Amino acid sequence: MANTTFTGPVRSESTLKTVSKNATSGTITEVTTLGDAPVSLADADVTLTNATHSGRILLVPDGGQDNTYTLPAPIAGSVFRFVYAGGAADATDAIIVTPGNANFYVGGVTFLDSDNEVSSVFSDGNSNSSIQLNVPAGFDITIVGKDSTNYQIFGNVTSATAPAFADQ
């Protein structure tokens, strides 16, 4: 199939989906959905999918316990944006992990210390597959699939305790 070029706006009464097609099998995989409502994540461990979560704002609740959000295997162009949706500083942590250490983060986040300091926290760029957002007062983290191995991460975290990258 050829590429299509539009010179005017593209409109949809629902959503737009970006997909990838396996050249050998012809299998279609959803990469991201644009235009859908935010997803309120459960106060529990959640395994994310591209079809349901990529391209949408993911509202993270004020947790009753530490919650782990597991990303799917990276696909170039997938986008996961996590936004803290609690009404007060959380007493628990939000942990965002890749499927494993072979799928690691590249990049870092800005740490806005609630004691009025600003700093940066970076992944090691070769194996850190987990970020722990410790007792956040707020955060806005974007994670983008760079390719089929790695995720780019950026954003900010406000807390009295710095976020931490680690291997799983």
Side-chain angles (χ1 to χ4, degrees), residues 6 9 13-14 24 32 36 41 65 67 70 77 89 111-112 148 162:
F6 297 94
E13 291 184 6
S14 178
T24 305
T32 190
D36 242 348
L41 297 175
Q65 66 282 318
N67 292 318
T70 304
F111 172 50
L112 308 168
S148 61

Side-chain angles (χ1 to χ4, degrees), residues 63-137:
Q65 66 282 318
D66 292 354
N67 292 318
T68 300
Y69 303 102
T70 304
L71 297 166
I75 297 175
S78 60
V79 178
F80 300 89
R81 183 176 175 200
F82 296 86
V83 176
Y84 179 62
D90 201 341
T92 63
D93 303 342
I95 304 160
I96 308 168
V97 300
T98 70
N101 288 333
N103 305 117
F104 53 85
Y105 294 121
V106 176
V109 298
T110 301
F111 172 50
L112 308 168
D113 190 327
S114 54
D115 296 327
N116 299 320
E117 295 179 24
V118 177
S119 60
S120 297
V121 179
F122 293 97
S123 69
D124 67 4
N126 64 28
S127 65
N128 287 166
S129 57
S130 172
I131 183 169
Q132 185 161 347
L133 310 176
N134 296 297
V135 293

Side-chain angles (χ1 to χ4, degrees), residues 3-17:
N3 291 330
T4 302
T5 302
F6 297 94
T7 58
V10 176
R11 296 170 38 156
S12 171
E13 291 184 6
S14 178
T15 61
L16 296 174
K17 295 186 182 290

Side-chain angles (χ1 to χ4, degrees), residues 22-39:
N22 182 296
T24 305
S25 68
T27 303
I28 300 290
T29 303
E30 286 188 28
V31 176
T32 190
T33 300
L34 303 173
D36 242 348
V39 175

